[in-house]
Amino acid sequence: MSSRRAFQGTLTVLGLVVLGTGTIDIVAGASGLPETLEVSNTLDSNYRFFAGVWCALGLALLLAARRPESHVSVMRAVFGAVFVGGLARGVSYFAVGAPHAMYATFIGVELIAPTVLTLWYGRLARLPAPVTAV
């Protein structure tokens, strides 16, 4: 399998995971979080809003997966958004304490995965463009 195909597959799987988890979060709301006793209407509204943004990032990954070389700005924006989200989780960790272990793990994933994907994509961008049928 070529590195480009592996990258496309990775983007597709990530896009589906992000879209799926975002949809679940929209449906369940913040009350579906681990360790949640009571959720205010404002927190739930804000949580579902960001779940919608998360879904949009998943759709962007799925769109970019088909022809990654045509979506440089989209992928940089998605990878950057996830990285900044990881930084924001880090701020929360230090400001109010450690979240549930699953969410603490996400900090590392959100900082490492976008970095690795950006480097991988940069390597692919230096390869000759694939020949496509007209």
Side-chain angles (χ1 to χ4, degrees):
M1 177 185 303
S2 73
S3 185
R4 180 180 183 275
R5 286 254 187 245
F7 186 75
Q8 288 176 293
T10 300
L11 289 182
T12 299
V13 169
L14 288 174
L16 291 170
V17 168
V18 169
L19 183 59
T21 57
T23 301
I24 290 167
D25 287 345
I26 289 171
V27 172
S31 62
L33 291 170
E35 303 175 349
T36 303
L37 300 176
E38 191 173 321
V39 175
S40 73
N41 294 349
T42 302
L43 176 61
D44 187 77
S45 174
N46 203 43
Y47 184 81
R48 290 177 201 244
F49 168 82
F50 283 109
V53 172
W54 189 237
C55 283
L57 293 178
L59 289 172
L61 287 173
L62 291 172
L63 171 71
R66 184 151 190 237
R67 295 197 45 158
E69 60 279 351
S70 300
H71 299 283
V72 177
S73 297
V74 169
M75 285 193 295
R76 286 182 181 162
V78 170
F79 299 158
V82 173
F83 186 85
V84 170
L87 292 175
R89 275 194 209 273
V91 169
S92 175
Y93 186 97
F94 289 108
V96 299
H100 184 275
M102 178 177 68
Y103 288 90
T105 302
F106 288 164
I107 297 169
V109 172
E110 292 160 350
L111 296 176
I112 294 169
T115 303
V116 169
L117 289 168
T118 299
L119 293 171
W120 187 5
Y121 183 69
R123 185 173 168 267
L124 289 177
R126 291 188 295 277
L127 298 175
V131 177
T132 57
V134 179

